[in-house]
Amino acid sequence: PNNFKNNNFKNIPFDPIKTEKGFIYEIEQRTDQRECPYCHADKAYINDYAFVEIGCSENNEIQDTIRIKKVRFKCRVCHKTFTPEIKGVNRYDKNTEQIKQLIYSDFARKLTFQDIANKYHLSNGRIVQLFDEKVKFVPRLKMPRVLCIDEIRFSEEINQKFVCVLTDFEKGEIVDIIKNRQMAYLREYFGSINPNELNIVKVFISDMYDAYESVRSRYFERAVHVVDLFHVIAQLTNAVNRLRTKAMNTKAKKGGLAYNFMKAHWKYFICRSSKVPDKFYTYAKTGEVFHYDDLILECLKLDSDLWSGYAILQELFSYANHYYSFEEAVNFINRLVSRLYATTSDILKTVAKTYHRWRNEIANGLAKGQRQMKYTNVIAESLNNQLKTIIKSAYGYHNFERFRKRAMLIMTYGKSPYKKGTKLLSYPLHV
């Protein structure tokens, strides 16, 4: 390896030994470096030899090994034993510094700890140990002009179910990951940031979680609060889906045409009508054939609330992108709220109450901003899905700090070389 020094070893040619998985390269430590590190006398003699094997593989297909014949001396003056240092590998370490550097660089790539362990023929625990030893600190990015805040499920523990993810809307980067979405954690986090930096944020995008509104009003007073349209639609689609289930179980005959269709093709009741395929459904019991559009219409007629909820959902789908001014958007939301309140369903009235509570923030999301663009959480949702993949592929993280550092390395700092002067780790990371 490049980091081994020639003056550590005897200049003796050895042919590599072929094995099933790779080669064994034998080298022998010099025996003329006999100064005692304890008393500095140069009157030591060879006490014995020992063989040490150090992995030097760079991929998981070839398993190469360096076999070092190490010498152990005994001092004639102080009678202590010692082995001269071999530069390029730490004492008791089974891998060279060169291999370690390759492992460190893999920490910023989309590989699980187990993938890295398999690649270098090490245990998963050893890779995690190396990560914890070397990755001491990964800084957050500065607050962006447009900040998205959202959460993802992290674990099943009561106090650690959701972590909060901050995203830069304009650059598509994860700014930071907060340990918990509860208000106490959010207050501690944002309260530690300089107010001048917080003032950089001009647009604050979130879902309809009350804690996020509290954060916005307390720490981002000058920012426009935008509720993402995805969460607005999700509120209504969940309600319509509940009404579909209720109508299916109470108004349709079990095993009948409507029941079977509503159960098997539930997604067509909560999507845009234009997404319903132009195809036919065959009722297995009678062999009768019906067009999807006709069957959906017949199913909706079973329940007036389901009909109303579906119609309002289609209006939201069709006209949500037609409103360009804040006033137009507010009027649109108010009209939806009135229609939802006019139904007899408590489920739909709950949605109406939520829409009314957040009508200004929803309108900010529907209306175009000064830059003639609509702000959404779609970037954050995409990055969140990648974070979920990291958690899932590792079969769950139990240590939040380890997860945060690894996710930031992969998602934020792994995209491009580190900015000059940014001290991220206790070692140079090459990407």
Side-chain angles (χ1 to χ4, degrees):
N2 296 334
N3 48 314
F4 272 15
K5 305 301 181 183
N6 292 331
N7 58 6
N8 284 315
F9 309 102
K10 292 182 178 180
N11 187 17
I12 302 175
F14 288 99
D15 292 329
I17 302 172
K18 182 73 170 66
T19 67
E20 292 182 358
K21 297 183 179 180
F23 291 90
I24 297 176
Y25 301 91
E26 293 186 321
I27 54 179
E28 185 175 336
Q29 192 176 15
R30 287 173 57 179
T31 59
D32 57 345
Q33 299 173 342
R34 303 194 178 194
E35 182 180 344
C36 176
Y38 303 104
C39 67
H40 303 289
D42 58 358
K43 297 181 179 181
Y45 62 92
I46 297 174
N47 189 51
D48 58 18
Y49 291 94
F51 287 93
V52 175
E53 292 188 349
I54 298 174
C56 61
S57 303
E58 296 186 10
N59 59 65
N60 55 356
E61 295 181 358
I62 300 174
Q63 189 170 345
D64 291 340
T65 304
I66 297 174
R67 181 181 291 163
I68 304 175
K69 184 179 180 181
K70 298 182 69 174
V71 61
R72 188 150 190 85
F73 296 103
K74 186 169 184 178
C75 182
R76 297 180 187 276
V77 177
C78 66
H79 305 293
K80 291 183 179 180
T81 60
F82 64 93
T83 297
E85 178 187 4
I86 297 179
K87 296 179 181 179
V89 60
N90 295 329
R91 192 178 184 185
Y92 306 122
D93 210 336
K94 296 299 182 182
N95 289 93
T96 65
E97 286 300 317
Q98 182 180 11
I99 296 300
K100 282 188 179 181
Q101 290 298 328
L102 293 172
I103 292 173
Y104 300 156
S105 66
D106 281 345
F107 288 152
R109 298 190 175 98
K110 292 183 179 180
L111 298 171
T112 66
F113 286 135
Q114 189 61 57
D115 290 337
I116 300 173
N118 294 338
K119 183 176 180 180
Y120 298 102
H121 310 287
L122 297 171
S123 68
N124 184 76
R126 177 54 178 158
I127 296 298
V128 172
Q129 182 184 35
L130 285 173
F131 183 83
D132 290 342
E133 287 175 356
K134 298 299 181 180
V135 187
K136 300 296 185 183
F137 174 63
V138 179
R140 65 173 177 84
L141 300 184
K142 288 186 177 181
M143 288 292 112
R145 194 187 73 85
V146 181
L147 176 67
C148 300
I149 183 169
D150 204 357
E151 68 278 339
I152 60 171
R153 180 176 286 274
F154 178 68
S155 74
E156 296 303 321
E157 297 179 19
I158 296 177
N159 294 324
Q160 191 62 84
K161 280 191 175 183
F162 295 94
V163 296
C164 189
V165 183
L166 307 181
T167 307
D168 185 334
F169 171 84
E170 294 176 317
K171 293 183 179 179
E173 296 177 333
I174 292 179
V175 174
D176 203 358
I177 304 174
I178 306 174
K179 187 174 184 179
N180 200 300
R181 69 169 184 169
Q182 295 175 4
M183 192 60 203
Y185 290 88
L186 299 177
R187 189 183 299 115
E188 179 183 5
Y189 180 85
F190 290 108
S192 66
I193 300 175
N194 189 304
N196 291 331
E197 184 180 349
L198 295 176
N199 288 335
I200 295 173
V201 178
K202 304 303 179 186
V203 180
F204 183 91
I205 307 173
S206 74
D207 58 22
M208 292 174 280
Y209 177 44
D210 287 337
Y212 294 155
E213 166 54 25
S214 298
V215 167
R216 204 283 313 166
S217 60
R218 180 167 182 174
Y219 300 103
F220 304 96
E221 297 179 61
R222 303 177 184 178
V224 175
H225 192 175
V226 172
V227 165
D228 179 46
L229 184 59
F230 169 83
H231 298 286
V232 177
I233 293 176
Q235 284 276 330
L236 190 50
T237 55
N238 291 338
V240 172
N241 201 35
R242 290 174 62 189
L243 291 172
R244 176 200 60 83
T245 303
K246 181 180 177 182
M248 180 184 73
N249 292 326
T250 60
K251 303 292 180 67
K253 181 182 178 181
K254 190 171 184 179
L257 173 63
Y259 182 94
N260 290 351
F261 183 80
M262 294 174 80
K263 184 174 183 179
H265 300 286
W266 58 270
K267 62 182 179 180
Y268 296 131
F269 291 85
I270 57 173
C271 71
R272 295 175 184 268
S273 58
S274 60
K275 298 289 185 181
V276 177
D278 182 16
K279 56 192 295 187
F280 293 86
Y281 176 83
T282 302
Y283 185 37
K285 288 186 177 180
T286 64
E288 294 177 275
V289 178
F290 302 89
H291 194 277
Y292 274 40
D293 288 338
D294 296 332
L295 268 181
I296 290 174
L297 182 60
E298 290 303 314
C299 293
L300 292 175
K301 289 180 180 178
L302 294 174
D303 186 89
S304 60
D305 287 331
L306 176 59
W307 180 290
S308 299
Y310 179 83
I312 297 170
L313 178 60
Q314 294 306 314
E315 182 178 2
L316 180 57
F317 279 138
S318 300
Y319 297 102
N321 293 323
H322 289 188
Y323 295 89
Y324 299 102
S325 72
F326 177 79
E327 291 75 16
E328 287 178 314
V330 169
N331 291 336
F332 173 61
I333 295 300
N334 287 336
R335 185 166 74 250
L336 292 184
V337 169
S338 297
R339 291 188 62 187
L340 290 167
Y341 270 130
T343 66
T344 59
S345 170
D346 290 337
I347 295 174
L348 294 179
K349 288 180 179 179
T350 300
V351 177
K353 183 178 179 181
T354 302
Y355 282 5
H356 180 72
R357 157 76 176 79
W358 294 89
R359 62 189 182 280
N360 291 332
E361 291 80 4
I362 295 173
N364 286 331
L366 292 173
K368 286 189 176 181
Q370 294 179 350
R371 298 191 176 190
Q372 290 299 297
M373 65 183 298
K374 291 190 176 182
Y375 296 108
T376 73
N377 243 359
V378 65
I379 299 296
E381 293 293 339
S382 174
L383 295 175
N384 286 352
N385 287 334
Q386 295 180 53
L387 286 175
K388 292 174 186 176
T389 301
I390 292 174
I391 296 173
K392 184 178 179 180
S393 63
Y395 301 101
Y397 274 83
H398 300 287
N399 184 306
F400 167 75
E401 288 301 329
R402 183 181 297 143
F403 161 72
R404 177 197 168 274
K405 290 186 289 188
R406 187 76 206 284
M408 290 290 288
L409 285 178
I410 295 173
M411 302 288 294
T412 299
Y413 295 104
K415 290 182 177 181
S416 58
Y418 293 101
K419 295 180 180 179
K420 188 176 181 181
T422 302
K423 187 178 180 181
L424 295 174
L425 314 170
S426 59
Y427 59 87
L429 182 63
H430 306 287
V431 293

